[in-house]
Amino acid sequence: MCGIVGYVGKKEATPLLLSALKRLEYRGYDSCGVGVISLKDGRIAVQKTPGKIQNLVDLLKTKDLPLSHVGISHTRWATHGKPTRSNAHPHADTSGKILIVHNGIIENYQELKAELQSKGYRFTSETDSEVIAHLIASFGRDDLFKAVQKTLKKLVGSFALGIISSDFPDRLIAARLGSPLIIGVGKDENFIASDVSAILEHTRKIIYLKDGEIADIRSDEVCVYDLSGRKVPAKIQTVSFKLDAVQKEGFPHFMLKEIHEQPEVLSAMLSLRLKKGMVVLEGIGLSDTALVQCRNIMIVACGTAYHAGLVGKYIIEQLACVPVAVDVSSEFRYRSPIIDKNTLVIAVSQSGETADTLAAVREAKARGAKVVSICNVVGSSLTRESDGVLYTHAGPEIGVASTKAYTAQLGMMYLLALKFAVIHKKLSGFRVQSLVKGLKEIPATLKKILKDKARIAKIARANAHFGSFLFLGRNVNFPSALEGALKLKEISYIPAEGYAAGEMKHGPIALIDEYRAVVCITPESDTYEKMISNMQEIRARKGKIIAIATDGDTGIRQHASNIIYVPKVDRLLTPLVTVLPLQLIAYYIAVARGNDVDQPRNLAKSVTVE
Ligand code: G6P
């Protein structure tokens, strides 16, 4: 979603703001802009445009911005108003002296706008964000910080804000409530950004701004205050991941790079979390006794993370016999879930900033549940609001379509399932050790599949012309079918549906003909024969089948036009393996169609509005 970068220091602001903003492209956006305070005359200057940052770079070749050491920049993902130049950020007040960039949604903007308009403030955009600039102006120009403070008290909704004013040309004000914002602390320079990846090449020292905090930032000082104006301690943390992690390193796309990182991600997780054959869930924040007392588990998540949650349900119930419900976060909140202090809510989120998941967690806590999050981004909002955190440590995921974060979430689900199985005494030591051994072998298995990627690419290209796809799976691979379909639609824009294969006869079969491709996830399993029956039904209706099958399964050749073989693994662990060909199919089809794989249209990496 929207990306924010701000700078105050001694360097030329515009090129720095643009290159940092480029690192936030992955969040998804449809217009962008930059605004600076001129070093020469102290005036504010702004350039903005619909489309990509490259458009802005091109625009600046003819409409240069003045030399400056202070500025803010923004990528906008349209919510209120189309992606036009006038709706792009930064937004100025009527005098043109105050400039703001905003991520989030101001829910009461219409009433604020009407009030400000009646006082003579002129609006030039359809956005909710513009009210913020006018509101700050309405509180006078003597004290920018106080004016911002008063403004924030009037806003209902969520925001991350960067603010500059030509009256205070050496300052940058930042604030957050519900939308992510970090401060990068440098030497004689400071930054704000929506996430660390934007400023990693300048500094690793980060202050994670908390909800309700306002920062007054100069080139040599960062002061953080709460909403009432009381100074609060600002903890500087040093992030450890390298710049390589946010670069493509020779891969044509971040998505392909991240697909290739999956064996490493999983292997790092397993070596950290499996000690002497025992699962170590440091960070979970609950004792084994407290975990045993949890009578039921509810998993909340969105998008790909929701599919990881669904796999979690299958394996936790099968291994540990604890009842698990899974909800998309946006539904959980409004369906009055039955929760009490004996419910464990597991929130799964790559970014830790997904607004619906955060709202679900707040709802769960208000109803007395314990909340453990499975999250990739250290220090994100979700991790701060949970009783315990299991970090996936998959490294920054830049491709909008989630891949390595999913595998890492799955890995954590297996570890959790094993942990529950052990503390509930539901598995023999032998079965635990066999699953642990199986898990440890998965990274090598994924590497083997990756070696076969040219063949998968060929199959994908040969099927790239199909106008629609159906993905079928059963049991633990039903969520894999959902994830395969999601990956394909996200980046190829081909209508794709995931179904439990048993449900095919209850609807999707009506769609099957020679124009429909069907991906059947058919590894060796207890439901293998049932999947074969489904494949026969598809073939009888001329559907084109791409099967994902276990090495050595020659029998499947009579049923499928294309087969992608994966090595044999424990039946319960197959989702960790089958997802890889599904990711590669989606990737190569999107590439064949000439799509922007890393930044698919209309999608945002981190959905920070409900
Ligand atoms: C967006 C992303 C998806 C992601 C979902 C949940 O829709 O495009 O890739 O799965 O949000 O995000 P989270 O950060 O909570 O895992």
Side-chain angles (χ1 to χ4, degrees), residues 143-260:
D143 188 335
L144 178 64
F145 189 82
K146 277 233 163 73
V148 172
Q149 220 182 340
K150 287 181 186 160
T151 298
L152 300 189
K153 287 185 182 155
K154 292 206 126 203
L155 301 180
V156 176
S158 62
F159 51 77
L161 285 171
I163 302 151
I164 54 174
S165 161
S166 56
D167 293 326
F168 302 89
D170 58 344
R171 282 162 80 182
L172 168 63
I173 309 279
R176 77 159 273 178
L177 188 79
S179 297
L181 197 67
I182 57 114
I183 300 169
V185 182
K187 191 170 175 329
D188 294 330
E189 60 182 2
N190 290 307
F191 309 79
I192 58 167
S194 295
D195 72 48
V196 178
S197 61
I199 54 165
L200 209 54
E201 64 187 288
H202 303 286
T203 182
R204 283 169 188 286
K205 293 196 175 131
I206 305 297
I207 297 170
Y208 292 92
L209 213 56
K210 297 195 188 85
D211 273 345
E213 288 184 346
I214 318 172
D216 195 350
I217 307 167
R218 292 174 168 83
S219 59
D220 56 356
E221 194 181 22
V222 178
C223 297
V224 181
Y225 302 86
D226 64 17
L227 262 190
S228 65
R230 215 171 357 180
K231 201 164 174 184
V232 292
K235 190 170 154 216
I236 300 180
Q237 303 185 32
T238 306
V239 294
S240 57
F241 57 80
K242 302 203 178 77
L243 192 57
D244 295 357
V246 292
Q247 287 172 344
K248 286 187 202 152
E249 292 179 311
F251 284 94
H253 298 99
F254 280 110
M255 183 179 175
L256 191 61
K257 177 188 170 225
E258 286 155 7
I259 286 174
H260 277 79

Side-chain angles (χ1 to χ4, degrees), residues 34 73 80 143 179 181 185 218 264 305 329 389 407 413 529 597:
V34 56
S73 59
H80 297 63
D143 188 335
S179 297
L181 197 67
V185 182
R218 292 174 168 83
E264 264 65 47
S329 310
V389 185
T407 319
M413 282 297 173
E529 296 302 335
V597 171

Side-chain angles (χ1 to χ4, degrees), residues 287-299:
S287 66
D288 287 0
T289 320
L291 287 175
V292 171
Q293 277 164 3
C294 294
R295 275 200 302 264
N296 65 328
I297 295 174
M298 285 192 180
I299 301 178

Side-chain angles (χ1 to χ4, degrees), residues 303-311 314 326 328 406 469-490 496-501 503 519 521 578-579 582 586:
T304 289
Y306 169 68
H307 297 156
L310 286 177
V311 175
Y314 276 91
V326 193
V328 283
Y406 177 70
F469 274 72
L470 180 63
F471 288 72
L472 298 177
R474 282 174 181 259
N475 201 278
V476 282
N477 279 299
F478 161 46
S480 311
L482 296 176
E483 179 58 9
L486 178 65
K487 283 291 85 78
L488 186 69
K489 75 182 114 184
E490 278 180 316
E497 283 180 288
Y499 254 90
E503 275 291 290
V519 179
I521 306 164
T578 52
V579 72
L582 297 174

